[in-house]
Amino acid sequence: MTAAEPAVKSATAYYQANIGSVTSIQDLVSNYRLLSYALDAYGLGDQINATALITKVLEGGVSSPNSLANTLSNPAWKAFATAFNFVGDGAASAASTNAVQTTTSNYVEQQLESDQGAQNVGVQLALYFQRVAPSVTSEYEILADPNLLEVAQTIFGLSPATSAETSIPKRRRSRGSCRSPICRIQRSSSNSPSDSPRCTT
């Protein structure tokens, strides 16, 4: 199990023991181990050195549609800013039981994806898809996420060149009771089709 691996276990223990001491955005950004863990949990681990950008994202919050987190093309930034919404919910919110559980679970899932990806990129992509697809609410989120886009191209039988000309938003209708691209993608991420929403638009 990934959660039991020494490196993951140690990183998680440190996060759980220290996130409660964070009282400001600067506290989080200046603590490399905490920030690294938080970024990894939301798929942004490669941004660890972009502290100026991270600070601006957190300072902008998520309440305004024009905030930096809501306008960046990578939806992971919005997820990260929502989880660490110091501006809207206060710094203590990141240390709540539910918040810590969500972040640590995400971290373990990210590590599992990375471990599997080292052996099989297809498996890594499938795990990412299974985790992210249920939260997708618009076709544009798919277009902004290269990993989801790759899976969508497979589902719809599109090559990268074809999908550039025939965008997902234009392919709004298909056979069956689940007609929209979002619904079809969410069904594909579930082991049980009945668990997915029945889209008719």
Side-chain angles (χ1 to χ4, degrees), residues 53-172:
L53 173 60
I54 295 166
T55 300
K56 289 181 180 179
V57 166
L58 294 177
E59 288 177 343
V62 293
S63 60
S64 170
N66 296 319
S67 68
L68 184 57
N70 286 323
T71 55
L72 288 170
S73 61
N74 185 350
W77 283 111
K78 180 180 179 179
F80 174 74
T82 300
F84 298 92
N85 188 13
F86 293 175
V87 174
D89 300 329
S93 62
S96 70
T97 300
N98 287 339
V100 172
Q101 182 177 356
T102 297
T103 297
T104 55
S105 294
N106 285 349
Y107 181 85
V108 171
E109 288 181 6
Q110 289 281 351
Q111 296 306 305
L112 176 61
E113 290 174 18
S114 296
D115 289 349
Q116 292 297 321
Q119 304 173 45
N120 187 318
V121 176
V123 173
Q124 180 183 25
L125 187 61
L127 289 170
Y128 176 84
F129 171 67
Q130 187 176 42
R131 173 171 59 84
V132 176
S135 64
V136 173
T137 58
S138 88
E139 288 88 347
Y140 297 100
E141 290 180 42
I142 301 171
L143 294 172
D145 188 320
N147 292 326
L148 284 181
L149 180 58
E150 183 174 346
V151 176
Q153 287 167 345
T154 300
I155 292 174
F156 292 108
L158 300 174
S159 67
T162 301
S163 59
E165 298 175 359
T166 309
S167 65
I168 291 174
K170 292 180 180 179
R171 297 173 62 87
R172 298 193 62 88

Side-chain angles (χ1 to χ4, degrees), residues 1-16 33 37 107-108 111 115:
M1 291 292 292
T2 299
E5 292 178 3
V8 175
K9 191 173 182 179
S10 175
T12 298
Y14 180 86
Y15 181 84
Q16 292 172 328
R33 290 183 68 181
Y37 190 97
Y107 181 85
V108 171
Q111 296 306 305
D115 289 349

